[in-house]
Amino acid sequence: MSKETETAVPRLALRNASKSFGAVHALRDASLELYGGHVRALLGENGAGKSTLVKTLAGVYRPDAGTVLVDGEPVSFHGPIDARDAGIAIIYQEPTLFPDLSVAENVFMGRQPLSAGKRIDKKDLHDKTAELFRQLGVAIEPERPVRGLSIADQQLVEIAKALSFEARVLIMDEPTAALSGTEVERLFRVTRTLREQGAAVMFISHRLEEIFAICDHVTVMRDGAVTYNGDLEGKTNDDLVRWMVGRDIDQLFPKVESEIGKPVLRVERLTREGVFFDVSFEVKAGEIVALAGLVGAGRSEVARTIFGIDRADGGHAEINGRRLPNHKPTAAMRAGIGFVPEDRRQQGLVMDLSIARNATMTRMRSLAPAGIIRAAREKALASEWATRLQLKYHRLDDHVGTLSGGNQQKVVLAKWLATQPRLLIIDEPTRGIDVGTKAEVHRLISELASRGLAVLMISSELPEVLGMADRVLVMHEGRLTGEFSREEADEERVMRAATGQTKEGLAA
Amino acid sequence: MSTADVAIDRTAQGERARRLTEMVFRMRELGIVMALLLLIAVTAILEPRFIEFDSLKDLARNASIIAIIAAGQTMVILTRNIDLSVGSVLGLTAFFCGDLLSNHNTPIVVAIVLCVLMGAACGVVNGVLTTFGRVPALVVTLGTMYVFRGIAFVYTDGRQINAETLPDSFLNIGTGTVAGIPTIFLIAFVVVLIVGLYLANYRSGRELYAIGSNDAAAKLAGIRVDRRVVAAFVACGALAGLGGALYAARFGTVDATAGTGYELTVISAAVVGGVAITGGVGSVYGAAIGAVLLGCITSSLIVLRIDSFWQQAAVGALLIAAIAFDRLVGLRLDAALRQRSARRA
């Protein structure tokens, strides 16, 4: 720790904080301090506990153990408003603004300057807003509506809002994730200005080069615990990556050997403007291909576009050499694609319907000659798959919502397997599934591949990617930045590609 | 490209984006004014008597009550809620007003104030059930629409108020003029102006827009969302109460069915006038012009001796056109923004 901060009292600190959600320890004994006039980076993989830590500082969560300190005094926030009143401003990745109102109104909502008779003094409102933007050194008109502003400009509106109530601590949650190069530069200029004015800033980012460009201190998290907390000076990329990923992969992944056949899926220069660009790859029969990367890299969007949920602006996908029409999920289904979405509860299942109905939904037509579903056929088909996937259930008539997460996922799998697909796309196969059932889902996927199914798996969990995949593709900011065979792939390589630390990535 | 060039390019881009959005924001009210003028022009060409002064006065009177209630409805819709009970509140208060004046010799001003208070009380019921009961406003006010109408039936007990029993000075509000302009129109004008100024210039008014625009952000900004929503319902109910009193003054004859179906006309007026049903966008001025436009359609179809059946079809078509227009503009904007951010990346 540098000399001048050693003696100073931190503006905002977290001491030995822990927070659990059910059996998940999101935060274990985490401590960190934010000093005025300094910028701290918060680093960690997806699920390392960064958001929980930020939300604890923001007053959204209350820690189960440990304390939040403002100027060295322990405080207890009862909500985001308390944290704001203590001078803590959080700038989320997706700004929380009023799109229909003007920039100035967004900055001063609820605190607009008033003239006689409690009328809003519009001139003063606009002048004050203009003054804030002048301090920040950016040109945004106070009168214009927020709708139509870029994410970068919206973040600046959020920063202006923070300044307007004299926030002394500014926490930015992945502010650069959606910004272009020049926008990042402008944000950094603003951040340096704030630092000079004595604000304490915390900066969450996955882009290591950005962290070195702007930060004084760094806190690295892994599995809810802080693995490094101190000066950034003298540290290298390798140090940071090691602290981020240095966990043991001792979990067992029951990878079944399978014979890899001909290509089933070919994706050719697929592009969706503003989301992902020029994505090309293949998935062969019997092969599990993992699509790795950070949240927001565009992986799910690629999958959605292949399946035809989103429209492609360029390029196309082929199944067994036959081109899929753009934006037609029914055609994708007919061509033999199954799609297990990321959000099981919203998109994968109809929660209020029975297990049997959910499991057979894709085969509804064949179960319903003359348009009336034959309950007996439905049950027979559902119970067949329930047995094959070792589904744990009480009765097939029960709501699917009564099942555990892992068993719900099996129902989604059953639904697609009943269509006898050639390609299965699975987005985050084990999200929200307990450890025991996870291995079962993994075994199932692996077995399916060994029987010749082509699998495209999107996963944010590195051990899952490394344990399951025959080949790993890595995306960073909408582009493929790495491809590794099972032998080549390791945590550091994948993480490097995912954070844009490759030759292509650095040029972006 | 040098930094200066980039800066210029960026401001030029910003300028274009600003013009685009500004145009869209203005168009909402501009479009409806154009439609109104077009309708008047076409009708006047086909039937010149349409723009005679008496005819226009009648038009203004017809639109006034709808405009007043639409002003209240606008406040509720801005918060992304809706009040379907305004027609029933109008029926209840219209009979209440007539009853007070015919059978209890209440002074006119007192009777009107009591109507406004009764409407406000109905608004409290709607607002509290919606916010603290966490029931969607659509369901709550659909229920209270029947409840208030039911109360009106019980209260009237089959009776009817007739113009002969009402004081002339009261009826004058509905049918008379001040300096040649219909009194009721002046009242509507003042109400719309006051609500419009309030929404534009006072914190609590702006907060209604904020709530409808982004509910979560409004809570984060420290806005007491529930209180504001209740207040909007109360204001809407109060204006429906005022509308009830004016209904009695305008038509003289009131029974329990007064104002049946008004809720849909009022909501149509607001939506046609550019108040987004999804909240956060629109103005009472737009809603008031919408009320005039709807009134104008009715009158012009009568003047042109077209079957009244077509009137409803015309209103329906207009509504769909207004909503389709909003949606189209929204899609265009989204597409433009997506392309723009793509180019920058």
Side-chain angles (χ1 to χ4, degrees), chain A residues 181-198:
Chain A
T182 45
E183 289 170 337
V184 170
E185 258 167 53
R186 186 174 58 156
L187 181 69
F188 282 4
R189 211 177 57 231
V190 168
T191 310
R192 289 195 192 96
T193 313
L194 292 171
R195 173 168 63 182
E196 276 154 31
Q197 291 165 359

Side-chain angles (χ1 to χ4, degrees), chain A residues 265-276:
Chain A
L265 172 73
R266 267 191 59 204
V267 177
E268 197 71 49
R269 311 207 61 162
L270 202 63
T271 297
R272 185 165 157 82
E273 273 179 60
V275 185
F276 57 85

Side-chain angles (χ1 to χ4, degrees), chain A residues 283-340:
Chain A
V283 184
K284 301 191 185 75
E287 188 183 35
I288 301 178
V289 173
L291 200 49
L294 302 167
V295 169
R299 298 167 300 163
S300 300
E301 289 78 0
V302 169
R304 287 170 59 90
T305 308
I306 293 171
F307 194 62
I309 302 169
D310 294 337
R311 181 183 295 280
D313 293 324
H316 66 271
E318 288 172 7
I319 291 286
N320 286 349
R322 283 187 56 189
R323 200 165 159 157
L324 289 173
N326 193 0
H327 202 44
K328 282 216 173 76
T330 43
M333 275 174 71
R334 243 179 285 128
I337 305 184
F339 182 74
V340 179

Side-chain angles (χ1 to χ4, degrees), chain B:
Chain B
M1 219 189 277
S2 76
T3 331
D5 285 344
V6 173
I8 289 164
D9 186 45
R10 281 190 45 81
T11 41
Q13 246 178 20
E15 187 65 26
R16 265 201 306 270
R18 196 170 64 91
R19 281 214 200 108
L20 180 69
T21 38
E22 263 182 16
M23 209 170 68
V24 168
F25 276 78
R26 285 217 190 104
M27 261 197 296
R28 282 173 186 274
E29 274 131 45
L30 204 69
I32 176 165
V33 172
M34 301 266 279
L36 182 61
L37 293 178
L38 190 72
L39 180 69
I40 292 174
V42 169
T43 317
I45 291 166
L46 294 172
E47 181 55 83
R49 274 182 305 166
F50 183 65
I51 47 168
E52 276 171 14
F53 195 58
D54 278 347
S55 165
L56 286 181
K57 270 201 295 200
D58 210 43
L59 186 67
R61 284 201 186 97
N62 286 341
S64 293
I65 294 174
I66 298 294
I68 288 171
I69 306 175
Q73 187 72 256
T74 300
M75 285 193 264
V76 172
I77 295 179
L78 281 178
T79 65
R80 207 180 287 175
N81 283 296
I82 199 155
D83 188 349
L84 292 175
S85 72
V86 287
S88 300
V89 173
L90 182 140
L92 187 60
T93 50
F95 190 85
F96 180 56
C97 189
D99 191 30
L100 288 175
L101 293 169
S102 317
N103 306 327
H104 302 279
N105 294 321
T106 316
I108 292 170
V109 175
V110 176
I112 294 175
V113 169
L114 286 176
C115 284
V116 170
L117 290 177
M118 186 187 242
C122 295
V124 171
V125 174
N126 287 332
V128 167
L129 285 176
T130 303
T131 54
F132 298 105
R134 304 268 158 236
V135 183
L138 187 76
V139 179
V140 167
T141 59
L142 188 64
T144 55
M145 175 176 97
Y146 288 111
V147 171
F148 296 153
R149 183 65 71 189
I151 293 171
F153 272 103
V154 172
Y155 172 38
T156 56
D157 195 20
R159 287 174 297 163
Q160 186 174 327
I161 302 289
N162 292 311
E164 305 89 74
T165 60
L166 292 171
D168 285 344
S169 52
F170 178 67
L171 293 172
N172 240 338
I173 298 173
T175 51
T177 57
V178 174
I181 299 165
T183 317
I184 197 168
F185 180 76
L186 287 175
I187 294 173
F189 188 81
V190 170
V191 166
V192 168
L193 198 67
I194 289 173
V195 176
L197 289 174
Y198 163 74
L199 286 177
N201 293 305
Y202 290 84
R203 277 186 186 172
S204 46
R206 299 314 293 167
E207 286 173 6
L208 296 183
Y209 283 87
I211 291 165
S213 193
N214 188 343
D215 185 47
K219 286 199 182 100
L220 281 177
I223 294 173
R224 283 168 296 190
V225 173
D226 286 349
R227 261 170 85 159
R228 291 282 167 264
V229 171
V230 171
F233 272 108
V234 170
C236 181
L239 288 177
L242 177 63
L246 294 176
Y247 182 96
R250 166 116 175 84
F251 298 105
T253 313
V254 182
D255 61 15
T257 61
T260 305
Y262 265 44
E263 58 281 336
L264 296 183
T265 314
V266 164
I267 293 166
S268 308
V271 170
V272 166
V275 178
I277 204 82
T278 47
V281 178
S283 73
V284 275
Y285 308 123
I289 302 169
V292 175
L293 180 60
L294 293 187
C296 212
I297 290 175
T298 316
S299 306
S300 69
L301 293 179
I302 292 167
V303 166
L304 300 176
R305 288 180 209 87
I306 294 169
D307 197 329
S308 70
F309 159 78
W310 287 105
Q311 179 204 330
Q312 302 207 352
V315 172
L318 196 68
L319 255 183
I320 292 169
I323 292 166
F325 177 74
D326 262 15
R327 177 90 186 113
L328 191 75
V329 166
L331 282 178
R332 276 282 170 83
L333 259 181
D334 284 357
L337 289 170
R338 198 157 68 88
Q339 303 271 347
R340 209 157 60 90
S341 50
R343 270 202 300 279
R344 280 211 297 216

Side-chain angles (χ1 to χ4, degrees), chain A residues 243-262:
Chain A
W243 287 319
M244 270 162 77
V245 301
R247 105 171 73 94
D248 309 320
I249 321 178
D250 49 9
Q251 284 160 283
L252 202 64
F253 287 93
K255 173 84 180 129
V256 183
E257 285 309 313
S258 74
E259 205 163 300
I260 292 175
K262 286 194 199 133

Side-chain angles (χ1 to χ4, degrees), chain A residues 67-242:
Chain A
T67 40
V68 178
L69 300 113
V70 174
D71 293 324
E73 298 292 320
V75 291
S76 161
F77 294 144
H78 296 281
I81 307 289
D82 284 356
R84 193 189 72 178
D85 292 345
I88 300 163
I90 318 277
I91 290 153
Y92 292 101
Q93 206 173 341
E94 292 294 323
T96 49
L97 295 172
F98 309 110
D100 304 310
L101 300 184
S102 76
V103 167
E105 289 196 284
N106 266 280
V107 172
F108 283 101
M109 181 49 71
R111 297 168 292 119
Q112 297 98 329
L114 301 178
S115 59
K118 286 196 151 191
R119 281 180 64 126
I120 295 171
D121 187 337
K122 285 192 182 150
K123 187 175 177 306
D124 196 24
L125 174 68
H126 291 151
D127 288 350
K128 281 205 166 108
T129 311
E131 169 60 23
L132 288 172
F133 284 119
R134 206 190 49 74
Q135 271 180 42
L136 293 173
V138 292
I140 297 177
E141 283 163 90
E143 296 89 354
R144 63 155 295 162
V146 160
R147 190 181 292 283
L149 282 181
S150 67
I151 295 278
D153 286 344
Q154 291 189 36
Q155 283 174 350
L156 291 170
V157 174
E158 288 275 14
I159 293 176
K161 189 161 55 167
L163 286 186
S164 76
F165 56 81
E166 283 157 12
R168 302 170 314 145
V169 179
L170 206 62
I171 299 174
M172 294 192 256
D173 190 357
E174 295 197 45
T176 59
L179 306 194
S180 69
T182 45
E183 289 170 337
V184 170
E185 258 167 53
R186 186 174 58 156
L187 181 69
F188 282 4
R189 211 177 57 231
V190 168
T191 310
R192 289 195 192 96
T193 313
L194 292 171
R195 173 168 63 182
E196 276 154 31
Q197 291 165 359
V201 181
M202 183 158 87
F203 191 88
I204 300 170
S205 176
H206 287 297
R207 301 183 190 172
L208 300 182
E209 73 275 18
E210 287 179 4
I211 286 170
F212 282 102
I214 189 99
C215 296
D216 309 300
H217 304 140
V218 62
T219 300
V220 188
M221 294 188 72
R222 186 206 309 152
D223 295 337
V226 171
T227 50
Y228 177 79
N229 191 24
D231 271 0
L232 184 61
E233 214 185 322
K235 303 297 177 293
T236 63
N237 271 352
D238 289 338
D239 291 333
L240 297 181
V241 170
R242 188 157 13 88

